[in-house]
Amino acid sequence: MTDKAERAYRTIGELSRETGLAQHILRYWETRFPQLRPLQRAGNRRYYRPEDVALVRRIAALLDQDGYTIRGVQQALAGKPVAAPTTLDTDTDTDTHSAIRRVRASLAAALSEDARA
């Protein structure tokens, strides 16, 4: 966190450093989430209010930790019911990995035969 007070406004650079999100991501989110509207001063310099900072953290958590898509986060923030993101079934996931390994082994064997011929 920064030395700034919790209620202080933050520039896009400060918010980027605090959250670990790139500045272009924050600007993109402004186009996708109408709730995220930082103050803009001369030269389009952005100042994020504490509410904006909290919203950015919530969006980041929904996307990164909870597995929501941009559309899912938009619906969640709009108050619309959203189905929770599906998690991978461990058994299915293991079966898929096994199938991929078998295909890789088969391809490797085929390439090896081609190289000898």
Side-chain angles (χ1 to χ4, degrees):
M1 193 116 183
T2 183
D3 293 335
K4 276 193 165 185
E6 198 63 35
R7 300 291 310 161
Y9 286 28
R10 285 166 175 60
T11 64
I12 194 168
E14 291 168 337
L15 183 58
S16 176
R17 282 188 296 279
E18 282 183 29
T19 60
L21 296 166
Q23 292 181 24
H24 70 274
I25 298 292
L26 294 169
R27 286 189 294 273
Y28 173 73
W29 285 0
E30 290 174 28
T31 68
R32 294 291 167 232
F33 304 106
Q35 301 88 344
L36 183 58
R37 286 288 165 244
L39 297 175
Q40 288 193 353
R41 299 287 187 219
N44 284 335
R45 189 165 170 88
R46 290 165 170 80
Y47 289 95
Y48 290 85
R49 298 173 292 251
E51 312 78 70
D52 297 321
V53 173
L55 181 58
V56 164
R57 292 182 192 283
R58 182 170 179 216
I59 292 169
L62 287 169
L63 289 169
D64 297 335
Q65 296 166 6
D66 298 338
Y68 281 86
T69 62
I70 293 284
R71 170 74 90 206
V73 175
Q74 287 170 334
Q75 291 174 349
L77 293 178
K80 296 178 182 171
V82 180
T86 58
T87 57
L88 292 176
D89 181 11
T90 307
D91 294 334
T92 305
D93 195 34
T94 302
D95 292 342
T96 303
H97 285 260
S98 297
I100 291 171
R101 284 190 192 97
R102 285 193 301 275
V103 169
R104 282 185 181 166
S106 174
L107 289 172
L111 288 172
S112 176
E113 286 179 28
D114 280 350
R116 283 185 253 161

